[in-house]
């Protein structure tokens, strides 16, 4: 069944969805004021070299300095590589394969020096407190090829599986290869002739020559080359089959796409359509529902089981649970059935949410080694449909499956959600009992030097209610011990974990507004402070 690429334009945002066999498989969001930086080429200035980290920080004109690892620095002695390559959907997808942390590299300070100007390309977006990751290996993706000026390597996308076609395309790429640089043949090249390959090589080498000219004239830091925006990049990278269609709900975006396709992808010119129905396009195709699911922690399976997806700073954890599913035969078969169903949903959610980095999956424990291998094999087969590079390890002694998925940008969950301003992103609130204990501790502290005073305690309604019903004796003891007159005031606007103590007519002292945390000795043991 032909795939459909949906392009939705809002006043401040572009949204793109890929529909395969009636199912939303990929989602992309891009705010117009915060477009992706991946693929952009900058002239940067090295501001700090860190030999101990084998890395350098480079000023490229962004809010944070960019991070350059030694393995991403082009060097004359670098070996040419061969073998399968990724499709090349972005700069990071086609960067030369660097080894792990154990690989031997020359010292970073022998390759770059403070104050040096470099032509670099963004390979990963800034994430959290981390700046963008960059490389001096420039990769310029075209419609059919990716040109890499800094490496002498010719490869073919691993998504082209026919051995004869792979050999034919590689031979044509070798024949068309420029004197300097290497090429990767993209999936869209399948079935092409030599003329189309040669035309792409001509366009990309001219683009590189233009980037070099502008780089010589520019003063660092400066943007030298900007990659296509989300709409045109998606059209370039995701249309592969002659029957693929693009449906657009905005006239301006439609005109831009038609102009781009007419110039670079004329075979698809008749595949661009305008959405004219009064019904919202994303609702008609079920994309809005998938967007809602993509932001949820719990995802239900058709059988009644479910998976939980939790993201931490270091990794993403996926937990598989039986839920309402009780099976039909024996226990082991029930577990295997749920795990196999979960495999499809996990692979789908990883792709839909664009989750990258380290992923740990806790399948329901299986006693049979054969069943464990069956589930892992099913996971590998499902992940093969993903454009992003993945690696899956066997079931660990603890019964966990560890895997990695190439991370280029933040997961779309970042675009769909924001940290809870109430719990400050912790995902939990302290209990009412702990908050009441904190208030009593603060009263004892402050009234030791302020006996015989009137005291007002302002707190959230739930806290004041608990103080009245469950802490009445403790409050009476405070009044008796310090000859105080306590008054509880309800403050609906106040954060649940905060309270305020006002003593006498002098107003609240500077330290009377307190969070709920108690000193270690008052909590019954040492704990980390927030």
């Amino acid at each position: 069944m032909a795939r459909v690429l949906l392009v939705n334009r809002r006043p401040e945002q572009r949204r793109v969805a890929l529909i395969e066999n009636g199912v939303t498989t990929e989602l992309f969001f891009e705010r117009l004021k915060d477009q992706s930086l991946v693929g952009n080429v900058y002239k940067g200035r090295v501001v700090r070299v860190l030999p101990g980290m084998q890395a350098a920080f480079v000023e490229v004109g962004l809010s944070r300095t960019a991070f350059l690892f030694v393995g991403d620095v082009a060097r004359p002695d670098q070996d040419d590589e061969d073998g399968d390559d990724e499709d090349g959907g972005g700069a990071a997808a086609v960067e030369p394969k660097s080894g792990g942390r154990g690989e031997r590299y020359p010292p970073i300070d022998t390759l770059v020096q403070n104050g040096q100007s470099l032509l670099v390309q963004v390979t990963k977006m800034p994430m959290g407190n981390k700046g963008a990751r960059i490389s001096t290996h420039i990769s310029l993706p075209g419609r059919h090829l990716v040109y890499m000026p800094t490496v002498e390597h010719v490869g073919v996308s691993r998504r082209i599986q026919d051995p004869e076609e792979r050999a034919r395309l590689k031979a044509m790429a070798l024949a068309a290869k420029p004197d300097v640089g290497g090429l990767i043949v993209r999936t869209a090249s399948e079935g092409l002739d030599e003329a189309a390959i040669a035309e792409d090589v001509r366009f990309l080498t001219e683009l590189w020559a233009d980037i070099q000219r502008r780089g010589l004239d520019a003063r660092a830091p400066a943007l030298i080359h900007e990659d296509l925006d989300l709409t045109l990049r998606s059209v370039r990278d995701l249309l592969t089959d002659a029957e693929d269609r693009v449906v657009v709900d905005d006239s301006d975006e439609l005109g831009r796409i038609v102009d781009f396709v007419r110039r670079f992808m004329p075979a698809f010119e008749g595949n661009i359509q305008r959405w004219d129905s009064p019904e919202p396009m994303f609702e008609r195709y079920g994309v809005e529902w998938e967007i809602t699911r993509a932001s949820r922690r719990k995802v239900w399976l058709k059988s009644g089981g479910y998976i939980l997806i939790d993201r931490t700073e270091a990794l993403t954890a996926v937990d598989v649970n039986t839920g309402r599913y009780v099976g039909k035969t024996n226990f082991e078969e029930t577990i295997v059935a749920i795990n196999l169903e979960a495999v499809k949903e996990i692979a789908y959610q990883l792709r839909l949410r664009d989750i990258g980095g380290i992923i740990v999956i806790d399948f329901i424990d299986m006693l049979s080694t054969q069943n464990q291998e069956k589930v892992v094999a099913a996971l590998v087969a499902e992940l093969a449909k993903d454009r992003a590079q993945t690696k899956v390890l066997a079931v660990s002694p603890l019964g966990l499956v560890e895997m990695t998925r190439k991370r280029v940008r933040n997961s779309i969950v970042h675009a769909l959600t924001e940290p809870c301003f109430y719990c400050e992103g912790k995902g939990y609130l302290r209990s009412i009992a702990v908050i009441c204990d904190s208030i009593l501790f603060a009263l004892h502290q402050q009234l030791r030097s302020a006996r015989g005073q009137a005291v007002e305690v302002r707190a959230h309604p739930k806290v004041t209610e608990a103080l009245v019903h469950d802490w009445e004796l403790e409050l009476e003891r405070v009044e008796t011990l310090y000859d105080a007159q306590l008054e509880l005031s309800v403050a609906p606007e106040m954060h649940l974990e905060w309270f305020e103590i006002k003593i006498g007519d002098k107003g609240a002292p500077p330290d009377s507004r307190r969070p709920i945390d108690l000193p270690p000795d008052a909590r019954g043991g040492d704990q980390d402070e927030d």
Side-chain angles (χ1 to χ4, degrees):
M1 184 175 179
R3 304 186 308 165
V4 181
L5 188 68
L6 305 181
V7 179
N8 168 243
R9 170 69 182 268
R10 292 180 169 185
E12 299 297 329
Q13 187 183 48
R14 293 187 179 99
R15 302 191 300 173
V16 173
L18 180 64
I19 312 296
E20 295 182 285
N21 298 319
V23 178
T24 305
T25 56
E26 297 196 45
L27 279 171
F28 304 94
F29 299 83
E30 183 175 83
R31 297 194 179 276
L32 301 187
K33 63 180 181 180
D34 190 26
Q35 295 187 10
S36 174
L37 306 175
V38 174
N40 288 359
V41 178
Y42 295 85
K43 185 173 184 179
R45 183 180 65 256
V46 179
V47 294
R48 192 178 181 191
V49 179
L50 302 174
M53 292 180 60
Q54 279 287 68
F57 288 101
V58 181
E59 178 61 60
V60 296
L62 303 176
S63 58
R64 291 188 180 91
T65 53
F67 179 80
L68 177 65
F69 177 61
V70 64
D72 296 320
V73 181
R75 57 186 192 272
D77 63 336
Q78 194 160 15
D79 294 334
D80 295 346
E81 301 184 46
D82 204 351
D84 292 348
D85 295 277
E86 293 182 63
D87 185 54
V94 294
E95 64 186 14
K97 305 177 184 66
S98 57
R101 295 182 180 180
E103 181 172 333
R104 294 183 178 274
Y105 295 107
I108 183 72
D109 51 7
T110 65
L111 301 176
V112 297
Q113 289 78 40
N114 286 333
Q116 179 181 354
S117 293
L118 296 172
L119 207 58
V120 297
Q121 186 174 44
V122 176
T123 60
K124 290 185 181 179
M125 285 283 287
M127 297 182 186
N129 295 322
K130 300 177 182 178
R133 181 159 177 172
I134 57 176
S135 173
T136 64
H137 292 285
I138 310 298
S139 299
L140 302 177
R143 169 60 184 159
H144 305 115
L145 301 170
V146 177
Y147 176 48
M148 303 175 295
T150 60
V151 294
E152 298 293 329
H153 164 62
V154 173
V156 179
S157 168
R158 63 165 60 94
R159 296 177 70 87
I160 299 176
Q161 298 181 352
D162 180 25
E164 293 185 3
E165 179 64 5
R166 291 181 60 85
R168 186 184 75 87
L169 290 171
K170 185 164 186 177
M172 288 195 300
L174 286 168
K177 177 184 171 302
D179 294 336
V180 176
L183 299 171
I184 290 178
V185 180
R186 306 187 67 180
T187 307
S189 298
E190 196 165 7
L192 283 184
D193 57 18
E194 295 180 1
I197 298 290
E199 175 60 24
D200 233 23
V201 170
R202 182 196 62 78
F203 170 76
L204 293 172
T205 52
E206 288 181 0
L207 174 61
W208 172 237
D210 183 58
I211 290 174
Q212 287 182 301
R213 284 192 297 269
R214 281 183 282 169
L216 289 175
D217 297 336
R219 181 177 180 181
L223 173 63
I224 304 300
H225 168 71
E226 189 171 14
D227 198 14
L228 300 176
D229 59 40
L230 175 62
T231 298
L232 300 184
R233 188 170 64 247
S234 300
V235 171
R236 179 194 68 191
D237 296 340
L238 298 179
L239 295 186
T240 57
D241 191 275
E243 296 183 359
D244 290 350
R245 295 184 296 121
V246 180
V247 182
V248 194
D249 64 0
D250 180 83
S251 298
D252 292 338
E253 290 295 279
L254 177 67
R256 295 175 62 242
I257 293 172
V258 170
D259 290 342
F260 178 81
V261 168
R262 187 174 294 154
R263 181 179 177 186
F264 297 105
M265 305 163 60
F268 289 90
E269 189 172 349
N271 298 23
I272 316 300
Q273 301 175 11
R274 175 74 159 88
W275 178 262
D276 293 321
S277 172
E279 183 181 7
M281 181 176 66
F282 269 32
E283 287 189 15
R284 171 64 180 81
Y285 280 89
V287 180
E288 295 291 0
W289 167 244
E290 293 297 345
I291 291 174
T292 301
R293 292 182 72 225
S295 60
R296 292 178 179 172
R297 175 175 179 256
K298 178 184 286 188
V299 180
W300 286 97
L301 306 174
K302 291 182 180 179
S303 65
Y306 63 89
I307 62 174
L308 296 175
I309 304 175
D310 290 300
R311 180 182 178 276
T312 70
E313 185 70 21
L315 53 83
T316 297
V318 182
D319 186 29
V320 182
N321 295 275
T322 57
R324 299 187 292 262
Y325 185 66
V326 295
K328 298 179 180 179
T329 53
N330 63 58
F331 184 58
E332 180 80 0
E333 289 184 6
T334 299
I335 290 173
V336 174
I338 295 175
N339 284 339
L340 288 175
E341 185 184 12
V343 158
K344 295 183 179 180
E345 189 63 36
I346 290 170
Y348 174 71
Q349 290 295 329
L350 294 180
R351 184 180 178 189
L352 181 70
R353 302 182 186 211
D354 203 7
I355 295 174
I358 300 173
I359 301 160
V360 177
I361 305 173
D362 185 10
F363 287 106
I364 305 172
D365 290 340
M366 296 167 285
L367 299 178
S368 167
T369 303
Q370 183 178 1
N371 286 334
Q372 293 178 358
E373 294 174 350
K374 181 179 180 180
V375 169
V376 172
L379 178 62
V380 172
E382 288 295 323
L383 292 172
K385 305 172 186 176
D386 198 337
R387 292 191 307 135
Q389 182 181 2
T390 58
K391 181 178 181 180
V392 181
L393 302 181
V395 178
S396 74
L398 296 178
L400 304 175
V401 173
E402 302 166 33
M403 61 166 289
T404 60
R405 184 176 184 272
K406 186 136 189 173
R407 188 208 306 267
V408 177
R409 57 186 63 84
N410 283 320
S411 164
I412 67 165
V413 177
H414 287 269
L416 299 175
T417 63
E418 60 184 32
C420 173
F421 65 88
Y422 206 79
C423 71
E424 298 173 341
K426 298 191 298 288
Y428 59 85
L429 294 169
R430 299 297 178 98
S431 71
I432 300 293
V434 172
I435 299 170
C436 292
D437 281 339
S438 181
I439 291 175
L440 289 168
F441 177 82
L443 286 172
H444 281 291
Q445 268 193 325
Q446 296 190 38
L447 289 176
R448 288 191 187 113
S449 58
R451 294 175 180 272
Q453 298 286 334
V455 182
E456 180 186 8
V457 178
R458 296 181 68 247
H460 190 276
K462 291 185 177 181
V463 177
T464 56
E465 181 182 3
L467 287 171
V468 170
H469 290 99
D470 302 325
W471 271 263
E472 183 180 5
L473 293 178
E474 286 83 350
L475 293 176
E476 289 178 357
R477 180 171 176 270
V478 169
E479 287 185 311
T480 302
L481 186 62
Y482 300 109
D483 190 23
Q485 298 85 44
L486 292 180
E487 178 184 350
L488 302 180
S489 297
V490 175
E493 76 285 354
M494 189 169 285
H495 191 294
L496 181 73
E497 295 184 342
W498 285 75
F499 60 86
E500 191 174 51
I501 297 176
K502 182 179 179 181
I503 300 178
D505 298 326
K506 298 180 181 180
D511 63 345
S512 65
R513 182 180 291 272
R514 293 172 177 267
I516 58 89
D517 284 337
L518 299 175
D521 58 347
R523 301 177 194 154
D526 292 339
Q527 297 184 19
D528 292 334
E529 296 183 5
D530 286 345

